[in-house]
């Protein structure tokens, strides 16, 4: 960590212009910059809201730095810098309570960032309120949510690293939820719907836990969510569920378990597609995309996408798998012109 300390001490001696202005102007408010950081983390005492973060990475030695925050959200992918060089990167982060799953613990107040990577070096950081950020709200289950503990990760937890400053992800996915329970729980739909602003994208992926929901109810619940999003001026996007890693003998995933056909014989992804077509809603067919990817990787190669090696779990994804699937979502948002290319990170 000596590399980081040199960069930190050097930056702290520079002019106060390198430190950011406080979130609310006040003479006694300390600047939200490097003074809020240690060698491995930063804490900013800010109220819930949306914040722009600008970091300058690098220092005297070669470095490689990643930034995560709040409940294990990946906010900036690992970025390499050559010795004596720095690069500036930015992202926008949603700060909320609870900071992770809506039915989980409150977490710590304010904004918490963690510096990772093989050789982290932070030369400067600025945090300011984001007044005009576009918001992506996520409604989903455990395959989407901000998972609190390693090795689990939802694709929504990895999505922020693919977005540049000006777009935030507010992940209101929650483990164990079906369309029925999400609508019934005031901590979920009752909390999320009032937060939707005109123009917000609201991605909905709920299916894994609709194991006993009949087709009429499942369809009606999706229609309720679509109508509720539109009533607030939001733009609904229906997302079919990621597949389960459940192979047939011939190496395909053409079975009810893998393709989310529930115990009543309801083809849940098929209903999502049907509702999207009937309601004129943008569709991201993540079922088809993840099926193709998992089959291409095969029985052995696909184990790393899920938690088979760690937990013999063929439903939930690893951080690696969640990152791959978040990349598919990013690509779909760009392809459907829901996000401009200059607001996403590629590669």
């Amino acid at each position: 960590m000596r590399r980081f300390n040199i960069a930190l001490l050097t930056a702290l001696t520079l002019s106060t212009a390198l430190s950011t202005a406080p979130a609310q102007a006040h003479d006694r408010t300390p600047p939200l910059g490097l003074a809020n950081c240690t060698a491995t983390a930063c804490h900013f005492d800010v109220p819930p809201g949306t914040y722009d973060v600008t970091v300058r990475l690098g220092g005297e030695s070669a470095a490689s730095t990643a930034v995560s925050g709040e409940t294990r959200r990946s906010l900036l992918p690992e970025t390499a810098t050559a010795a004596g060089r720095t690069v500036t990167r930015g992202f926008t982060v949603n700060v909320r309570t609870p900071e992770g799953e809506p039915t989980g613990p409150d977490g710590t107040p304010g904004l918490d960032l963690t510096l990772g990577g093989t050789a982290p070096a932070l030369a400067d950081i600025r945090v300011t309120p984001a007044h005009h950020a576009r918001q992506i709200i996520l409604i989903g289950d455990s395959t989407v949510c901000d998972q609190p503990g390693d090795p689990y990760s939802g694709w929504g937890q990895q999505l922020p690293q693919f977005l540049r400053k000006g777009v935030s992800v507010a992940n209101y996915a929650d483990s164990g939820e079906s369309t029925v329970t999400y609508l019934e729980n005031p901590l979920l739909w009752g909390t999320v719907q009032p937060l939707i602003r005109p123009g917000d994208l609201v991605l909905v992926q709920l299916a894994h836990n609709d194991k006993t929901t009949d087709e009429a109810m499942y369809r009606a619940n999706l229609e309720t969510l679509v109508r509720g999003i539109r009533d607030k001026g939001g733009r609904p996007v229906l997302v079919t569920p990621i597949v389960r890693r459940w192979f047939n003998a011939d190496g395909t995933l053409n079975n009810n378990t893998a393709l989310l056909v529930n115990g009543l014989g309801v083809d849940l992804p098929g209903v999502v597609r049907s509702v999207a077509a009937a309601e004129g809603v943008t569709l991201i067919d993540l079922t088809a995309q993840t099926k193709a990817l998992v089959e291409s990787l095969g029985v052995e190669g696909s184990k790393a996408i899920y938690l088979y090696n760690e937990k013999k779990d063929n439903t939930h994804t690893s951080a690696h798998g969640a990152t791959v699937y978040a990349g598919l979502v990013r690509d779909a948002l760009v392809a459907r012109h829901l996000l401009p290319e200059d607001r996403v990170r590629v590669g």
Side-chain angles (χ1 to χ4, degrees):
M1 283 301 173
R2 184 172 180 272
R3 177 183 297 108
F4 175 91
N5 291 333
I6 292 172
L8 175 58
L9 290 172
T10 301
L12 285 173
T13 61
L14 297 177
S15 69
T16 55
L18 290 178
S19 296
T20 184
Q24 295 181 350
H26 196 293
D27 291 342
R28 290 173 293 179
T29 303
L32 300 182
L34 280 174
N36 299 83
C37 299
T38 67
T40 58
C42 302
H43 172 76
F44 302 95
D45 187 15
V46 296
T50 306
Y51 294 88
D52 287 332
V53 180
T54 302
V55 293
R56 188 157 57 84
L57 307 175
E60 292 184 354
S61 302
S64 188
T65 312
V67 182
S68 60
E70 300 294 87
T71 303
R72 304 177 60 240
R73 299 181 218 161
S74 294
L75 300 172
L76 188 70
E78 188 158 355
T79 303
T81 48
R85 310 284 288 186
T86 62
V87 297
T88 299
R89 297 287 185 269
F91 54 87
T92 300
V93 60
N94 171 257
V95 177
R96 61 182 182 270
T97 303
E99 70 178 27
E101 295 180 89
T103 62
D106 284 354
T108 56
L111 170 61
D112 288 284
L113 303 176
T114 300
L115 306 173
T118 55
L122 178 65
D124 189 31
I125 184 168
R126 306 179 183 188
V127 176
T128 56
H131 297 295
H132 304 290
R134 189 167 189 184
Q135 182 170 244
I136 300 175
I137 295 176
L138 304 181
I139 292 173
D141 52 36
S142 59
T143 65
V144 184
C145 75
D146 288 350
Q147 288 280 358
D150 187 65
Y152 294 89
S153 182
W155 62 255
Q157 199 165 21
Q158 301 297 331
L159 185 60
Q161 67 180 297
F162 290 109
L163 305 174
R164 297 183 186 276
K165 185 188 294 185
V167 183
S168 71
V169 175
N171 191 350
Y172 283 89
D174 196 71
S175 293
E177 306 300 341
S178 65
T179 57
V180 176
T181 60
Y182 203 95
L183 285 168
E184 289 177 344
N185 192 332
L187 295 176
L188 299 172
W189 181 237
T191 296
V192 174
Q193 192 195 20
L195 300 176
I196 300 172
R197 307 171 309 192
D200 283 347
L201 294 176
V202 185
L203 277 58
V204 179
Q205 187 216 280
L206 286 167
H208 278 86
N209 299 301
D210 281 280
K211 299 174 183 178
T212 59
T213 309
D214 64 42
E215 182 170 347
M217 177 64 73
Y218 187 62
R219 180 180 298 272
N221 289 344
L222 292 175
E223 291 169 347
T224 296
L225 289 165
V226 168
R227 184 169 58 251
I229 294 165
R230 284 175 165 166
D231 285 347
K232 301 294 289 185
R235 184 166 184 178
V237 179
L238 292 180
V239 183
T240 60
I242 66 170
V243 293
R244 294 190 178 99
R245 183 188 163 277
W246 202 270
F247 283 94
N248 297 326
D250 64 358
T252 67
L253 300 178
N254 295 313
N255 59 76
N256 288 356
T257 300
L259 298 182
L260 283 298
V261 177
N262 75 9
L264 301 180
V266 180
D267 177 358
L268 298 172
V271 177
V272 177
R273 297 180 188 113
S274 175
V275 171
E279 297 294 326
V281 174
T282 299
L283 175 75
I284 296 178
D285 198 342
L286 210 51
T287 305
Q289 290 181 287
T290 56
K291 176 180 184 294
L293 176 61
V294 171
E295 286 180 343
S296 72
L297 292 172
V299 173
E300 290 301 317
S302 62
K303 288 178 178 178
I305 295 287
Y306 292 84
L307 292 174
Y308 180 86
N309 294 323
E310 299 87 349
K311 302 285 185 179
K312 297 297 187 287
D313 186 333
N314 292 308
T315 297
H316 298 97
T317 48
S318 63
H320 164 66
T323 301
V324 171
Y325 287 174
L328 296 177
V329 174
R330 171 208 55 191
D331 293 345
L333 291 174
V334 173
R336 287 155 181 76
H337 306 291
L338 297 176
L339 283 178
E341 293 187 22
D342 63 356
R343 284 291 179 265
V344 301
R345 301 184 199 280
V346 295

